[in-house]
Structure formats: structure tokens, C-alpha cells
Amino acid sequence: MQENQIEVQIEQFRAIEKADIVLNGITVVAGENGCGKSTLSKFLYYVFKLSEGYEETVKNYFTDLLTSLRFHIENIEYSLHRGQSDNEYGRIHSFKVYGANRALSKIRWKELLDKLEKDIQSSTENNPAFNSTRYEQILKDLLKISPEATYSLPELIEQLKKHIQSLLEEYEEEKKNKSVFILNQELKKSFQERENSFLFSIREYGDTIISNRQTHFSTSHFIRQTAYIDTPMSVGLDNESVPHWKELNRLLKEKKEAEYDLRIGQILSEDILKGNIYTEPLLEKDIHTPFADEFFIYKREDGSEFNLLECATGVKSFAVLQMLLKNGFLNKYTLLIVDEPEAHLHPQWIIEYARLIVLLNKHVGVKFFIASHNPDMVSAIRYISETEGTDKRVNFYIAEKAPDYTYTYRGLGLDIEPIFESFNIALDRINQYGSRE
């Protein structure tokens, strides 16, 4: 087995029938549209990000559970206080959840539940028209108790208190456990799937560290951080609805001094970009960039400055690499996932991008997962890595279609001919549709 080798296996996930992928340097997958390349990219991003940041993953999982409960409890409070003035109702509003700290606060929960108990007792004693049946049914639903079960309202509130206490204690315990169940639930949410019926496992040095066949997992030693670039157009648009865009922009804005490979830095700044990228605070008047709090500025070697968001998309592609390199994000523990890096590049820059992939892997140790449709990108990675002596850490895969429209990813090693055979279909179509005979 190769040194530092990471193997990822996925079965029966969306269009993917089976994929057994090695992440040991540069991994390139090719295949037609709809074969699951983006699914693979997103899976790798989320599984490593969620497992490495497990404490945050657990916090998000329990925050969602408790926030949902809290929302329904506050609606009960609202219903109990209908018709009261804002001042009288203000205390209830103060319990609204504005983040994980409140959702997971034992003190906040005690205040809220004690007040609920007191208000229901007051309504029962002082309001002859009070209908306890509705509130009993709401609490039964929240506690997943059969509607036919016989419980008084005070008994249900006591069960609710115990349930909340149990969830808060479970949260503290699960922070230590590295539960595959919670990891799988957050993966399901990330993919907006109701169920995760697929199988997956990740092995490091042949030892299974993450698998949904197991109950607990270990974090990877050789992949400790990951970023996913599906389009350079995401630069400056840290949109809440696209988590990997938001995270990428956060990484790009990190202002920390870090050592980086000067040779690669010079290639980016002098040979390709002819300048450097930096950030500056966004002024209130600059409302044309609504999703960011900082400008990305491209300063050209002649001193001219431009808003990067208004620059060519190809410039943004290399700007991302420059910023991630300079702030130290790119290192030997990084997995950088790039979906179709060639999509916005001139043919010459496709080769330059491929060269940077190889050099970043060789000199910095960055692991890459690349999904590509482009013959120039595929061949450039293949032959530049051979010239640089890193081809033993390069693996190509092709997605092969089954009659049921699912795909199996076949490992090719360094043999890129099957990929080019699939590209040749395009040439056949040109001959077919362009024939003058």
C-alpha cells in the first residue's frame, strides 16, 4: 500500500453504483454528464468537513432538534398570551433562539419551561374557557406519544422537562463519542436527502476510519481540512444557502501570516495573474456586493486596481489558488476538490492550471480531487506529473454506464486512453452532424 493512502468507497448513492477512489495525491475522475462526479465531490467535502469538525457537527445536530422544540413551545406561549400588550408579552419574545448558545443553554431552557408550567397552571385556574385538550395533543405530538394515551397537562410538561434534559445530556455525551449516526444525519441534511440508504467507508493505511456500517468513527490524520470549488463565480458570494461557497469565502478572507512556496507564488503572481489579490473592508455605499463584507481587489503589476468580482472568471480561478496558498490553507493536510476547473479557462490557462495542481501536490503536499471533461486538463496532469516525478501519486478514473443509468467508477491508474475514447464521441458527433455528404 502506498504511503499516506486514503481510500474512499461509495455504493448505491444517486447515480453512483460503485466508486472505489484513492486519494493519495491527484485523483482525476471523468465521465459524461449525470454520472455522479459532483455527487462524489460533495460527498468528499462534507464527509471530511463534518468528521474533522465533529464538535460543530454535533452542535448543529442538537441545535436543530432543540430549536424545533423551542419554536413549538414558544407558539404555545404565544397562544396562551393572545391579546396581551407587547410589554406583557415581551418576556416570552426574549426566549427566542438566535443561535446554538441559546438552544443548548440549560439555564434558558429552565426559564422557558418553568414559565410554560406557570402560565398553563394560571390559565387552568383563572380561565374557565381554557381548553387543555389542544395543548395536551400538541405536547403528545412533540414527545411522540400516542394521541390516545391518557396524560394530564402537568404530567406532559414534566415529561417534556425530562425529554429536554435528556437531549442536553446526550449532547454533552455525544461530543466525545464521534457517532456515525449523527455524522450520517448531518450528511443527509447536507444532501437534502430524506434517507441515506447508500453505503460508504473511508480507509487510511488500510484501516477503516469512517463507515456507516460502524457506530463510531475516527478522523483522518492525512486529510484535516478541505475546500470545494465548484465555480470561481462563488468568490465574494458567501451565500448562506450554499454552505461550501460561504466556507470558501471565509477561507479566502483569512488574514494570517503563513509560509508558502515562493516558487509557486511567483508563478501565480508573475507568470499568470501579473499581479496580486488582497481584501479591504466593504463600505456601506458599496451595495452591489450584498453577500460579502469585504472587497476582493486585484492589483495588477502596473498599479491598476480592480474589483475581483468584476474581473474575468479565469482570473478568479487563479486568484482563489493564490489566496489559499498565501494564507497557509494549502498544505500537506489539505484536500482541495475542484469541479471542472477548465470550465472558464482559455486553453493556455488550462495547461497552467494543471501545472499548478501538479506543483502544489509535489512541493506543498496538497491532495486534489478533480472532476474534468477536458482532454487538455487530463493529458496535462498526466504528462506534467510524469515530468515532475509525481506520477505514482496520480490516479485516473472513468465512470462507466450500466443499462439502468447507474455508473461504476473504474480505476485506470495512469492509462488515460479510455478517457480519450469517451471524449472521441464528441468528434464522432461533429463528423456526423457536420458532414456535407
Side-chain angles (χ1 to χ4, degrees):
M1 183 170 291
Q2 300 178 53
E3 185 182 3
N4 300 359
Q5 189 175 68
I6 307 281
E7 298 170 279
V8 180
Q9 185 177 80
I10 303 176
E11 296 180 25
Q12 299 174 347
F13 185 30
R14 295 184 174 178
I16 302 169
E17 175 61 28
K18 185 174 182 180
D20 208 338
I21 303 292
V22 172
L23 301 175
N24 195 45
I26 302 172
T27 301
V28 182
V29 297
E32 64 187 36
N33 290 329
C35 70
K37 298 188 300 299
S38 294
T39 296
L40 261 176
S41 298
K42 290 178 182 177
F43 171 79
L44 291 172
Y45 173 74
Y46 284 118
V47 76
F48 284 111
K49 182 165 180 57
L50 292 171
S51 59
E52 182 61 35
Y54 181 70
E55 187 167 329
E56 189 68 21
T57 300
V58 172
K59 181 184 285 188
N60 290 338
Y61 175 74
F62 281 96
T63 295
D64 285 350
L65 286 179
L66 289 162
T67 298
S68 177
L69 282 169
R70 196 158 186 145
F71 171 79
H72 292 291
I73 292 169
E74 288 178 346
N75 274 341
I76 293 175
E77 283 280 19
Y78 176 79
S79 182
L80 289 170
H81 289 263
R82 277 179 299 189
Q84 292 186 1
S85 68
D86 288 342
N87 287 337
E88 291 173 307
Y89 185 54
R91 177 167 169 74
I92 301 165
H93 279 297
S94 71
F95 290 115
K96 284 200 173 292
V97 179
Y98 296 106
N101 290 337
R102 290 193 177 192
L104 300 170
S105 168
K106 293 181 181 180
I107 294 174
R108 295 276 183 179
W109 273 110
K110 185 177 187 309
E111 289 177 345
L112 180 61
L113 294 173
D114 285 350
K115 187 172 193 317
L116 176 66
E117 185 175 40
K118 179 181 176 182
D119 289 346
I120 284 181
Q121 182 180 356
S122 175
S123 296
T124 303
E125 294 172 354
N126 301 321
N127 182 3
F130 179 70
N131 179 7
S132 64
T133 302
R134 175 173 176 264
Y135 298 100
E136 289 167 4
Q137 293 301 326
I138 291 173
L139 291 174
K140 285 178 187 178
D141 183 59
L142 292 180
L143 293 166
K144 296 180 171 57
I145 295 174
S146 169
E148 288 76 28
T150 304
Y151 289 98
S152 68
L153 204 46
E155 287 174 333
L156 287 167
I157 291 174
E158 193 59 36
Q159 287 202 40
L160 179 62
K161 285 183 175 181
K162 291 179 179 178
H163 179 58
I164 299 297
Q165 180 64 27
S166 174
L167 285 176
L168 292 170
E169 290 174 355
E170 188 180 350
Y171 164 64
E172 294 297 333
E173 189 62 28
E174 287 296 347
K175 284 195 293 186
K176 313 167 192 172
N177 284 343
K178 294 193 174 180
S179 165
V180 168
F181 171 78
I182 290 177
L183 180 67
N184 207 44
Q185 292 301 305
E186 290 300 290
L187 272 174
K188 182 170 67 175
K189 186 173 75 174
S190 298
F191 278 97
Q192 299 181 340
E193 296 274 352
R194 293 191 174 184
E195 296 296 334
N196 274 359
S197 58
F198 69 100
L199 300 174
F200 70 85
S201 65
I202 298 174
R203 298 183 295 277
E204 190 171 73
Y205 278 125
D207 183 29
T208 300
I209 57 172
I210 306 174
S211 171
N212 58 359
R213 297 178 178 91
Q214 299 177 342
T215 56
H216 298 87
F217 69 90
S218 301
T219 52
S220 170
H221 176 76
F222 293 104
I223 296 178
R224 302 185 192 176
Q225 54 190 21
T226 183
Y228 175 34
I229 306 168
D230 59 350
T231 171
M233 296 295 290
S234 63
V235 174
L237 303 179
D238 45 352
N239 196 327
E240 291 283 352
S241 64
V242 189
H244 60 275
W245 285 13
K246 184 174 180 63
E247 175 64 10
L248 178 62
N249 278 279
R250 185 189 70 78
L251 294 172
L252 295 177
K253 294 176 200 171
E254 283 191 341
K255 294 179 174 64
K256 59 182 184 181
E257 295 296 327
E259 293 184 4
Y260 62 92
D261 189 285
L262 293 177
R263 179 190 173 193
I264 298 176
Q266 287 176 342
I267 291 172
L268 277 162
S269 63
E270 298 176 11
D271 298 345
I272 299 174
L273 288 171
K274 308 292 186 183
N276 289 283
I277 312 299
Y278 69 93
T279 61
E280 67 177 25
L282 183 66
L283 300 177
E284 190 173 336
K285 64 181 180 64
D286 297 311
I287 59 173
H288 58 288
T289 53
F291 301 115
D293 54 8
E294 288 182 290
F295 270 128
F296 291 94
I297 303 297
Y298 167 43
K299 185 173 183 178
R300 205 167 55 193
E301 60 184 358
D302 63 359
S304 300
E305 294 189 354
F306 308 91
N307 181 350
L308 183 62
L309 273 67
E310 298 172 0
C311 292
T313 313
V315 171
K316 295 176 187 175
S317 297
F318 288 98
V320 169
L321 293 183
Q322 186 187 69
M323 287 185 280
L324 292 179
L325 179 67
K326 284 188 172 183
N327 68 21
F329 179 78
L330 298 182
N331 59 51
K332 66 179 182 179
Y333 299 115
T334 302
L335 172 64
L336 190 58
I337 302 163
V338 192
D339 205 342
E340 299 182 28
E342 68 277 354
H344 302 279
L345 299 179
H346 181 277
Q348 177 184 340
W349 272 16
I350 290 175
I351 309 306
E352 295 290 357
Y353 201 102
R355 180 188 178 211
L356 284 168
I357 289 172
V358 174
L359 293 179
L360 284 166
N361 174 247
K362 178 179 180 178
H363 297 291
V364 183
V366 182
K367 292 179 179 65
F368 284 91
F369 181 84
I370 306 293
S372 178
H373 286 298
N374 188 276
D376 291 337
M377 178 64 70
V378 169
S379 58
I381 290 175
R382 165 68 178 84
Y383 294 112
I384 294 173
S385 64
E386 184 176 31
T387 299
E388 295 291 336
T390 62
D391 50 316
K392 291 183 179 179
R393 300 199 299 268
V394 178
N395 288 280
F396 292 90
Y397 295 84
I398 188 168
E400 298 181 324
K401 188 175 184 180
D404 62 353
Y405 296 93
T406 61
Y407 296 80
T408 296
Y409 282 73
R410 177 163 64 94
L412 304 174
L414 291 172
D415 180 13
I416 58 176
E417 284 306 312
I419 296 176
F420 274 84
E421 289 172 9
S422 69
F423 290 154
N424 286 340
I425 295 173
L427 297 177
D428 294 340
R429 294 292 164 86
I430 290 174
N431 291 332
Q432 178 185 348
Y433 302 143
S435 175
R436 295 184 180 182
E437 294 180 3

